[in-house]
């Protein structure tokens, strides 16, 4: 079955995450690992995912009376913990660390 | 008495001679003679018997035919007989005829008729009765032949004796003799027959003439014939079957001229020249054969190898027929004719040889002919190493053939279409019918595979390369030919290929071609080609710009002497921008297009792959220069969450715009040519709302207005554009009901001459700002005449109020998808006041001490100058530093009443909204940090 | 912290430093909502 565009995109991102080109950041958004080169297409997908995350964080924040920053950071904690071996994540201090 | 006896004998003789002479005595014999002749079907018979004896009769001036002797006129016939033999065996001893005249007539169909003899009165030769005479002599008999045009004269003499044999000579010549389309001129026939007493027969003859047939003229034809056999005695006594013998024929036609032969009228000379390598104007033929006759089977073989039949054209091409081993060239018998020969064609670009075995039985043909074409070069057709193995048989008008074709096709010209470099192997079945003058060709393996092919239309500068090609039967057949009045061929099939390159002028397409089901008609005489086809699937890239695939459509292609036209209807075509980061997502086109000469026009409707209609467009393309333009317009394009989305239409908008709704209309114009693509657009936004632009702005809604762009790649506005927007929601900062004038010069920056929003009674706006569209951008928001009272109403904290007017600047920094205020400040314009009697104040009052004092002042802090500094992320924490200089109520031991104060409030607000939530005062945890600054 | 400078005469102003921090208590409920957020949107998390 052909991949629907959205999941096809996430496959692209998933692959990049597993190859430590892209990683989860402490601020709740995807980031490009410093030094990794990224295709335009992947860059667009990351931007798109981050925008959708921002909308999701904003809705969650409004429902819970907290700042978007907080919902983003709390989600980040879970995402960082969920990172699988071989993936890279960016800690609070902004350093990229390989899991 | 003797007279009566004579009369009886002669009567008998007459009956015997042909049943004609039976009256006695000359006048009666003559009358009887005439009676018998007319009863035997002779017309206007004349004859006078001048001598009649027991053993001899002489007839003079015997003539048959209209107006006295136009048919047969024999001056003198003498016959000697033994009257007993005459009676019993109907044999006469001797017949001597001559001098006289035999006048033959050739009618238009070529039948030889003797005037006066009714046609059909003679039996056919096989059941001819034995010769009724022992001896025959013909002396000085003239032969006259009348033809519809011209005639021939000659003489015949013969001397025959049953016992000793005899000889005969026929010599006819003619200046001009024409019948059944054949026209002989300056012709002479000489024919000698010798019968020796032992039964041997020897025949020799020559025929020299010029011959013209349907415009083809062969002059100085010479045919020599010699034969010997035996036994004439058997034949004379009716036993023809036993005749046997052998002979030799020498034929030569040194100069044949076919320039205005009827055959070539139907084929245009150019086609003839193209196919046969130059106009064949004539040639020479020469050949010799050995003939053998035995038990009524005639075998014709080539004479020694050097004397086979050869035909040489004026272009030097030589066709030579030679034997297949020892098999005779032709075997003719009553039941069948069997021919077998090898042939070789060589010279001026042709080198081919092959063999033919043919059988003709009861009107039906069967031919087997393997032909090997080592090389064939002519302007129209060039083959190398081609093998043709054809076997066909005819039953009545139907012909069925099996054709195996291994072709090293180097070049084939059909009209102005050239096909070259197309080696292929194919097995075909051909069913033809002479009456309907049509044939059907079927590919036995259903599909014909060839490694590659290349086709070129020079005048149109149109070229196609195909690799891994398959041409399959369609509707059960591959081609239909008919040669009624207009010679035409119809090729129909399904064409598919692994890979193709297609080009008209500079317009090029490469990739997997669509499967084409087509019917192609080619009328040779008018030189008109017409192809109607359906196309499906395929995936080709057009000029490295657009990928076109999954086509479903049809086309009609016509090509005549001067120009080419193509009309196409595309029901569905997937169009994607070539390259891995396209500006536009794939769309589905439904289009009509036509090409006239090198100019194409097209109209189309675009929709998304899931069928959401986007808009319509029209355009033109100069195929030669590969330049063109198109105008795409769309009205009422509505964005819905699950439906059409800007960032789905144009992936470059991903991360900039998302979850849009509202309607949009407009028009996009693209122009392309050798030096690239230019684009322009006019967009009309109707109450559009969307997440963005960019992640920094959570949502923009109520976006209205028209935007004109002079370029889409990169985006460039046509100077300043003005739009209105209801809300720009940047989390902590919401700008409402604004008008924005902006300009995108196309160098990745945005210039905002003015963007203004009403804001807490004043105005907040951007003035003459410029920011980068990609990297970090800093946009200063200037706030004027901001009313503090309206702010406090907005903040809506119980017990908090105030008034005053402020101006300030909020520099918003957009970076990495986030927006923050950096060094924002407000300054009071004139005095104002801040008053707080809320819950926090009561808590502080209870606590007493500094807190009480601080909040006492705050109950009614009137300032004459106030400054606020703002910093922080719009989606996170904001930090306010408020400095007041003014007076406040104090109630202390050493100070009472309004005292001057310097009041600083540091407000670290996680969220402005927290300020306004009703439960703020209840759950409001105010940590009042106090520090005592001891002045003393 | 709140700093108050007390002076006798009227023209020496009182200096007050009021620090107000408005915080948000992060409720446990948010934690579960975040779990749902991640699981409900596999394509963006």
């Amino acid at each position: 079955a052909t991949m629907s565009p959205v999941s096809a995109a996430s496959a692209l991102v998933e692959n990049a995450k597993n190859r430590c080109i892209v990683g989860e950041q402490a601020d709740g958004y995807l980031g490009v690992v410093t030094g990794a080169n990224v295709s335009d297409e992947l860059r667009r997908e990351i931007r798109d995912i981050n925008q959708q995350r921002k909308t999701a964080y904003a809705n969650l924040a409004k429902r819970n009376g907290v700042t978007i920053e907080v919902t983003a950071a709390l989600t980040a904690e879970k995402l960082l913990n969920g990172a699988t071996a071989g993936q890279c994540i960016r800690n609070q201090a902004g350093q990229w660390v390989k899991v | 008495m003797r007279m009566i006896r004579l009369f009886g004998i002669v009567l008998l003789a007459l009956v015997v001679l042909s049943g004609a002479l039976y009256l006695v005595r000359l006048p009666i014999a003559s009358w009887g003679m005439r009676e018998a002749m007319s009863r035997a079907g002779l017309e206007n018979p004349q004859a006078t018997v001048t001598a009649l004896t027991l053993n001899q009769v002489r007839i003079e001036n015997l003539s048959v035919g209209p107006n006295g002797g136009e048919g047969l006129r024999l001056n003198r016939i003498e016959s000697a007989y033994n009257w007993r033999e005459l009676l019993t065996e109907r044999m006469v001893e001797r017949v001597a005829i001559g001098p006289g005249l035999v006048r033959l007539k050739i009618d238009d169909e070529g039948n030889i008729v003797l005037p006066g003899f009714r046609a059909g009165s003679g039996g056919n030769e096989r059941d001819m009765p034995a010769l009724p005479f022992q001896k025959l002599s013909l002396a000085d008999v003239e032969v006259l032949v009348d033809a519809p045009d011209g005639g021939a004269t000659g003489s015949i003499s013969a001397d025959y004796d049953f016992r000793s044999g005899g000889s005969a000579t026929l010599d006819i010549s003619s200046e001009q003799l024409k019948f059944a389309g054949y026209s002989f001129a300056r012709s002479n026939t000489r024919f000698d027959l010798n019968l020796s007493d032992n039964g041997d027969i020897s025949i020799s003859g020559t025929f020299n003439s010029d011959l013209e047939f349907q415009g083809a003229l062969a002059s100085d034809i010479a045919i020599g014939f010699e034969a010997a056999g035996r036994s004439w005695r058997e034949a004379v006594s009716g036993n023809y079957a036993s005749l046997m013998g052998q002979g030799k024929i020498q034929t030569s036609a040194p100069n044949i001229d076919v320039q205005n032969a009827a055959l070539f009228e139907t084929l245009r000379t150019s086609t003839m020249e193209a196919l046969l390598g130059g106009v064949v104007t004539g040639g020479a033929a020469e050949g010799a054969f050995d003939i053998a006759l035995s038990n009524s089977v005639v075998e014709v073989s080539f004479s020694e190898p050097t004397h086979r039949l050869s035909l040489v054209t004026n272009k030097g091409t030589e066709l030579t027929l030679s034997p297949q081993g020892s098999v005779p060239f032709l075997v003719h018998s009553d039941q069948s004719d069997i021919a077998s020969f090898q042939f070789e064609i060589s010279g001026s670009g042709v080198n081919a040889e092959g063999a033919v075995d043919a059988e003709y039985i009861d009107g039906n043909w069967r031919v087997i002919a393997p032909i090997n074409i080592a090389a064939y070069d002519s302007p129209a057709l060039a083959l190398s190493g081609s093998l043709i193995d054809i076997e066909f048989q005819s039953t009545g008008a139907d012909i069925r053939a099996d054709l195996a074709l291994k072709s090293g096709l180097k070049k084939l010209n059909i009209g102005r279409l050239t096909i070259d470099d197309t080696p292929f192997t194919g097995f075909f079945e051909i069913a033809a019918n002479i009456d309907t003058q049509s044939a059907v060709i079927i590919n036995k393996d259903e599909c014909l595979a060839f490694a590659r092919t290349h086709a070129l239309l020079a005048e149109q500068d149109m070229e196609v390369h195909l690799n891994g090609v398959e041409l399959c039967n369609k509707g059960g057949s591959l081609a239909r030919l008919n040669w009624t009045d207009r010679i035409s061929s119809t090729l129909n099939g399904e064409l598919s290929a692994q890979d193709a390159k297609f080009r008209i002028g500079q317009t090029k397409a490469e990739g997997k071609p669509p499967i084409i089901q087509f019917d192609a008609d080619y009328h040779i005489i008018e030189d008109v080609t017409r192809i109607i086809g359906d196309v499906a699937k395929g995936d080709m890239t057009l000029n490295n710009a657009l990928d076109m695939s999954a086509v479903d459509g049809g086309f009609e292609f016509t090509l005549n002497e001067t120009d080419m036209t193509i009309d196409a209807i595309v029901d569905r075509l997937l169009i994607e921008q070539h390259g891995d980061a396209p500006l536009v997502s794939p769309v589905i086109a439904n289009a009509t297009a036509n090409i006239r000469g090198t100019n194409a026009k097209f109209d189309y409707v675009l929709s998304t792959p899931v069928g959401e209609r986007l808009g319509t467009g029209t355009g033109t393309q100069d195929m030669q220069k590969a330049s063109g333009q198109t105008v795409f317009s769309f009205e009422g394009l509505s964005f819905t969450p699950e439906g059409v989305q800007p960032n789905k239409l144009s992936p470059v908008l991903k991360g900039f715009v998302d979850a849009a709704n509202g309607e949009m209309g407009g028009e996009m114009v693209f122009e392309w040519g050798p030096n690239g693509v230019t684009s322009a657009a006019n967009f009309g936004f109707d109450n559009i709302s969307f997440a963005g632009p960019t992640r920094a702005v959570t949502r923009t809604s109520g976006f209205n207005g028209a935007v004109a762009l002079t370029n889409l790649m990169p985006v460039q506005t046509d100077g300043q554009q003005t739009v209105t927007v209801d809300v720009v929601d940047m989390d902590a900062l919401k700008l409402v009901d604004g008008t924005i004038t902006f300009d995108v010069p196309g160098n990745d920056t945005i210039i905002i001459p003015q963007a203004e929003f009403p804001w807490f009674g004043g105005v907040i706006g951007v003035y003459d700002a410029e920011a980068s569209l990609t990297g970090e951008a800093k946009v200063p928001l200037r706030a004027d005449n901001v009313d503090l009272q309206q702010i406090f109403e907005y903040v809506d904290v119980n017990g908090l109020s105030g008034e005053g007017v402020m101006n300030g600047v909020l520099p918003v920094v957009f970076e990495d998808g986030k927006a923050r205020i950096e060094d924002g400040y407000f300054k009071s314009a004139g005095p104002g006041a801040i008053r707080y009697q809320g819950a926090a104040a009561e808590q502080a009052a209870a606590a007493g001490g500094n807190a009480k004092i601080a909040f006492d002042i705050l109950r009614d802090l009137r300032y004459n100058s106030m400054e606020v500094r703002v910093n922080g992320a719009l989606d996170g924490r904001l930090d306010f530093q408020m400095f007041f200089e003014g007076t406040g109520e104090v109630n202390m031991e050493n100070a009472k009443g309004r005292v001057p104060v310097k009041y600083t409030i540091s407000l670290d607000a996680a969220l402005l909204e927290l300020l306004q939530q009703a439960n703020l005062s209840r759950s409001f945890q105010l940590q009042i940090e106090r520090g005592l600054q001891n002045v003393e | 912290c709140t700093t108050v400078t007390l002076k006798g005469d009227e023209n020496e102003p009182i200096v007050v430093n009021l620090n107000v921090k408005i915080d948000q208590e992060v409720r446990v409920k948010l934690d579960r909502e975040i779990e749902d957020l991640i699981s409900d949107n596999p394509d963006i998390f």
Side-chain angles (χ1 to χ4, degrees):
Chain A
T2 58
M3 307 273 278
S4 79
V6 173
S7 62
S10 58
L12 190 69
V13 169
E14 211 52 45
N15 184 303
K17 275 168 105 172
N18 296 337
R19 291 185 9 248
C20 211
I21 292 171
V22 165
E24 291 296 341
Q25 297 179 149
D27 68 358
Y29 297 100
L30 282 174
V32 174
V33 176
T34 39
N37 56 44
V38 173
S39 72
D40 281 354
E41 198 186 354
L42 180 56
R43 198 176 297 281
R44 287 180 183 174
E45 289 316 317
I46 295 166
R47 237 183 15 228
D48 188 32
I49 287 176
N50 284 342
Q51 179 169 33
Q52 293 182 55
R53 286 188 180 183
K54 165 75 184 283
T55 306
Y57 293 147
N59 296 338
L60 192 59
K62 190 183 279 308
R63 279 206 309 275
N64 291 278
V66 293
T67 65
I68 294 173
E69 222 172 34
V70 161
T71 50
L74 288 175
T75 310
E77 270 166 41
K78 296 195 185 307
L79 292 173
L80 295 185
N81 298 343
T84 57
Q87 292 186 340
C88 290
I89 55 173
R90 193 177 203 176
N91 59 25
Q92 213 77 1
Q95 292 138 340
W96 283 101
V97 170
K98 188 152 198 167
V99 173
Chain B
M1 263 302 282
R2 281 173 61 242
M3 290 295 290
I4 297 164
R5 244 186 18 269
L6 272 175
F7 175 76
I9 295 160
V10 165
L11 183 67
L12 292 176
L14 283 178
V15 164
V16 162
L17 277 176
S18 62
L21 310 174
Y22 55 82
L23 287 183
V24 68
R25 291 316 295 147
L26 305 182
I28 298 168
S30 313
W31 177 77
M33 178 69 168
R34 280 193 299 278
E35 248 344 275
M37 284 162 77
S38 69
R39 219 174 292 107
L42 305 185
E43 191 190 331
N44 183 14
Q46 302 295 333
T48 44
V49 178
T50 54
L52 187 60
T53 65
L54 194 60
N55 51 16
Q56 191 199 8
V57 68
R58 185 169 70 239
I59 306 149
E60 288 181 15
N61 300 328
L62 178 142
S63 74
V64 169
N67 45 50
E70 204 154 84
L72 179 69
R73 195 163 37 72
L74 299 176
N75 300 355
R76 189 166 129 101
I77 304 172
E78 280 172 4
S79 172
Y81 42 79
N82 165 333
W83 68 272
R84 278 186 211 82
E85 271 180 9
L86 180 62
L87 278 180
T88 58
E89 292 152 21
R90 296 194 175 198
M91 290 287 281
V92 292
E93 187 52 34
R94 185 173 61 76
V95 177
I97 301 173
L101 165 71
V102 177
R103 189 175 203 126
L104 302 173
K105 210 160 182 302
I106 300 180
D107 66 16
D108 257 336
E109 283 77 36
N111 304 325
I112 299 181
V113 166
L114 184 60
F117 281 75
R118 243 179 270 109
S121 52
N124 64 28
E125 68 288 355
R126 248 200 309 286
D127 53 17
M128 236 178 45
L131 294 180
F133 42 74
Q134 300 292 350
K135 289 192 191 120
L136 168 73
S137 70
L138 289 169
D140 192 9
V141 174
E142 198 192 337
V143 176
L144 199 63
V145 180
D146 289 335
D149 180 358
T153 60
S155 65
I156 185 165
S157 64
D159 202 353
Y160 162 72
D161 178 341
F162 181 69
R163 273 182 295 285
S164 61
S167 68
T169 311
L170 172 70
D171 198 335
I172 294 183
S173 54
S174 145
E175 268 314 303
Q176 171 77 18
L177 183 132
K178 223 185 239 174
F179 60 89
Y182 295 92
S183 156
F184 295 88
R186 293 192 304 113
S187 57
N188 171 278
T189 314
R190 181 173 168 72
F191 189 72
D192 287 299
L193 172 69
N194 274 302
L195 310 178
S196 52
D197 57 1
N198 66 6
D200 283 351
I201 308 168
S202 84
I203 306 171
S204 72
T206 59
F207 171 72
N208 302 83
S209 176
D210 295 350
L211 168 63
E212 191 264 332
F213 172 65
Q214 292 194 343
L217 176 65
S219 44
D220 306 325
I221 294 180
I223 300 179
F225 170 72
E226 254 170 30
R230 61 177 288 99
S231 127
W232 59 269
R233 290 190 187 288
E234 296 290 329
V236 157
S237 58
N239 177 2
Y240 295 94
S242 68
L243 264 181
M244 49 168 283
Q246 65 288 328
K248 197 183 285 300
I249 294 185
Q250 213 93 25
T251 63
S252 91
N255 38 56
I256 303 172
D257 178 347
V258 293
Q259 252 166 3
N260 36 38
L263 172 62
F264 299 109
E265 287 322 310
T266 50
L267 287 176
R268 290 163 55 84
T269 318
S270 61
T271 322
M272 246 280 292
E273 182 172 298
L275 266 180
L276 300 178
V279 177
V280 175
T281 56
E286 189 264 333
F289 301 95
D290 295 344
I291 310 252
L293 167 67
S294 68
N295 34 54
S296 63
V297 170
V298 179
E299 274 190 16
V300 179
S301 307
F302 293 102
S303 305
E304 316 88 5
T306 54
H307 280 80
R308 359 173 194 68
L309 174 66
S310 78
L311 173 69
V312 179
T313 73
N314 61 306
K315 304 296 285 180
T317 311
E318 181 175 6
L319 165 68
T320 316
L321 304 188
S322 51
Q324 285 198 58
S326 57
V327 179
F329 168 59
L330 175 67
V331 177
H332 168 74
S333 68
D334 291 348
Q335 297 78 21
S336 69
D337 284 286
I338 300 169
S340 164
F341 56 88
Q342 279 183 338
F343 66 87
E344 194 189 329
I345 308 173
S346 59
S348 83
V350 185
N351 177 359
E353 40 92 17
V356 175
D357 287 286
E359 265 174 27
Y360 179 74
I361 303 169
D362 307 337
N364 296 331
W365 277 98
R366 194 164 163 282
V367 178
I368 299 174
I371 303 166
N372 179 358
I373 302 174
Y376 179 82
D377 257 317
S378 74
L381 178 64
L383 298 172
S384 70
S386 291
L387 195 63
I388 300 173
D389 200 338
I390 190 160
E391 176 179 342
F392 71 87
Q393 56 203 25
S394 77
T395 40
D398 278 328
I399 297 178
R400 297 195 57 74
D402 286 308
L403 170 67
L405 190 60
K406 171 184 160 312
S407 157
L409 177 64
K410 280 202 299 188
K411 185 184 66 179
L412 168 65
N413 283 350
I414 305 173
R416 294 186 296 108
L417 176 69
T418 304
I419 296 176
D420 54 27
D421 186 19
T422 309
F424 69 88
T425 304
F427 301 91
F428 306 95
E429 194 184 303
I430 302 169
N433 186 297
I434 304 275
D435 298 341
T436 60
Q437 290 182 305
S438 66
V440 176
I441 299 168
I442 297 166
N443 185 333
K444 281 201 227 168
D445 305 342
E446 193 53 25
C447 287
L448 177 66
F450 31 103
R452 59 189 182 282
T453 184
H454 168 244
L456 173 69
L457 259 175
E459 278 90 359
Q460 266 67 37
D461 193 9
M462 177 169 155
E463 206 173 349
V464 180
H465 286 275
L466 294 177
N467 292 313
V469 190
E470 250 197 9
L471 178 60
C472 303
N473 290 337
K474 170 173 178 266
S477 72
L478 188 59
R480 285 191 304 281
L481 300 171
N482 77 66
W483 51 90
T484 46
D485 47 359
R486 297 161 70 209
I487 300 179
S488 76
S489 64
T490 307
L491 183 70
N492 52 6
E494 182 183 281
L495 182 70
S496 60
Q498 296 309 328
D499 173 53
K501 287 200 186 67
F502 170 77
R503 184 181 65 76
I504 300 182
Q506 291 308 314
T507 306
K508 299 181 179 111
E510 291 179 17
K512 178 142 179 51
I515 295 171
I516 303 174
Q517 301 244 356
F518 66 90
D519 288 279
D521 289 318
Y522 174 56
H523 298 288
I524 294 178
I525 296 168
E526 296 93 350
D527 191 5
V528 167
T529 309
R530 200 161 142 272
I531 304 176
I532 299 176
D534 292 332
V535 288
K537 303 199 180 77
D539 186 346
M540 301 191 82
T541 302
L542 180 67
N543 281 74
N544 276 326
L546 295 177
D547 292 341
M548 299 193 168
S549 59
V551 71
D552 172 13
F555 68 88
E556 182 174 335
F557 165 93
T558 63
L559 175 71
N560 55 34
E561 275 169 331
T562 47
D563 46 42
M564 169 186 83
T565 64
I566 300 178
D567 291 281
I569 294 175
V570 174
D571 298 326
R572 185 185 156 79
L573 174 69
L574 177 64
I575 302 179
E576 297 165 275
Q577 200 176 339
H578 188 62
D580 50 16
L583 165 70
V584 184
S585 293
V587 287
I588 300 291
N590 169 307
T592 61
N594 65 59
I595 295 178
R596 295 288 178 272
T598 61
N599 292 317
K601 276 206 201 60
F602 47 90
D603 296 286
Y604 53 88
V605 175
L606 291 188
S607 52
T608 65
V610 291
E612 295 138 339
R613 180 187 163 102
L614 297 175
T616 63
T618 178
T620 61
Q621 165 89 350
D622 175 335
M623 308 298 278
Q624 206 56 35
K625 303 198 207 66
S627 59
Q629 55 77 31
T630 184
V631 175
F632 174 66
S633 51
F634 50 98
E635 289 320 321
L637 181 62
S638 65
F639 300 122
T640 56
E642 292 317 312
V644 176
Q645 277 299 319
N647 61 4
K648 272 203 252 166
L649 290 182
S650 170
V652 78
L653 294 177
K654 283 190 172 178
F656 282 107
V657 169
D658 189 28
N661 50 47
E663 271 191 22
M664 184 180 159
E667 184 184 87
M668 289 197 277
V669 179
F670 293 93
E671 278 169 26
W672 55 87
N675 36 39
V677 180
T678 64
S679 53
N682 288 303
F683 295 139
F685 300 99
D686 179 4
N687 198 13
I688 297 275
S689 90
F690 51 89
T694 76
R695 197 172 97 208
V697 179
T698 296
R699 192 151 190 94
T700 299
S701 38
F703 187 88
N704 280 294
V707 173
L709 301 175
T710 53
N711 204 343
L712 290 166
M713 303 161 287
V715 170
Q716 183 177 341
T717 56
D718 183 6
Q720 290 184 1
Q721 309 295 316
T722 300
V723 292
T724 61
V725 63
D726 292 350
V727 180
V728 179
D729 172 4
M730 291 189 278
D731 314 324
L733 177 62
K734 286 186 176 53
L735 304 175
V736 178
D737 292 342
T739 304
I740 304 172
T741 304
F742 64 95
D743 180 0
V744 180
N747 53 6
D748 261 351
T749 66
I750 181 165
I751 298 167
I752 304 176
Q754 171 169 323
E756 226 171 35
F757 298 81
W759 203 57
F760 297 118
V763 168
I764 188 166
V766 180
Y767 306 96
D768 300 326
E770 179 172 353
S772 145
L773 276 172
T774 48
E776 190 197 283
K778 190 166 195 175
V779 177
L781 288 171
R782 205 179 75 216
D784 294 330
N785 308 320
V786 175
D787 177 351
L788 192 59
Q789 183 179 357
Q790 288 192 31
I791 289 182
F792 285 137
E793 276 160 17
Y794 170 75
V795 170
D796 185 22
V797 170
N798 286 354
L800 178 63
S801 64
E803 67 276 346
V805 174
M806 299 189 298
N807 298 320
V809 173
L810 289 177
V812 179
V813 174
F814 295 91
E815 187 200 13
D816 190 17
K818 292 192 177 120
R820 64 179 189 279
I821 294 178
E822 219 174 61
D823 303 334
Y825 69 87
F826 292 98
K827 280 201 174 67
S828 57
I834 176 170
R835 297 182 199 85
Y836 178 66
Q837 283 109 9
E842 282 132 24
Q843 274 175 8
N850 285 349
K852 181 180 180 316
I853 299 164
F855 276 89
D856 284 352
I857 299 169
L858 207 51
R859 280 185 195 290
D860 179 18
L861 170 61
R862 295 201 190 102
Y863 65 78
N864 36 40
S865 89
M866 185 267 280
E867 192 178 333
V868 180
R869 290 213 174 78
V870 186
N871 281 290
L874 290 180
D875 66 347
R877 304 187 74 88
L878 276 178
D879 177 41
F880 295 86
Q881 300 289 332
M882 290 173 265
F883 308 95
F884 301 89
E885 263 191 63
T887 59
E889 282 282 328
V890 188
N891 186 355
M892 295 185 309
E893 308 82 11
N894 50 12
K896 257 208 204 3
R898 294 202 77 72
V899 293
V901 248
K902 270 192 174 179
Y903 205 103
T904 303
I905 303 177
S906 304
L907 175 61
D908 173 357
L911 202 59
L912 282 183
E913 276 78 0
L914 291 185
L915 291 177
Q916 47 175 276
Q917 277 167 352
N919 58 19
L920 170 67
S921 53
R922 258 195 341 279
S923 64
F924 179 64
Q925 286 163 324
L926 170 69
Q927 292 144 333
I928 301 178
E929 292 152 18
R930 297 184 197 134
L932 189 64
Q933 185 183 357
N934 196 321
V935 176
E936 289 92 0
Chain C
C1 69
T2 314
T3 325
V4 177
T5 314
L6 302 180
K7 271 270 181 297
D9 52 29
E10 281 70 12
N11 48 25
E12 193 58 48
I14 299 172
V15 174
V16 175
N17 254 330
L18 178 63
N19 291 325
V20 176
K21 187 166 192 215
I22 301 174
D23 241 334
Q24 48 202 330
E25 9 73 41
V26 176
R27 278 154 300 176
V28 170
K29 175 175 170 295
L30 187 55
D31 188 72
R32 200 168 38 71
E33 282 204 31
I34 287 175
E35 296 282 352
D36 296 347
L37 179 69
I38 295 176
S39 56
D40 295 348
N41 299 284
D43 45 16
I44 56 175
F45 288 109

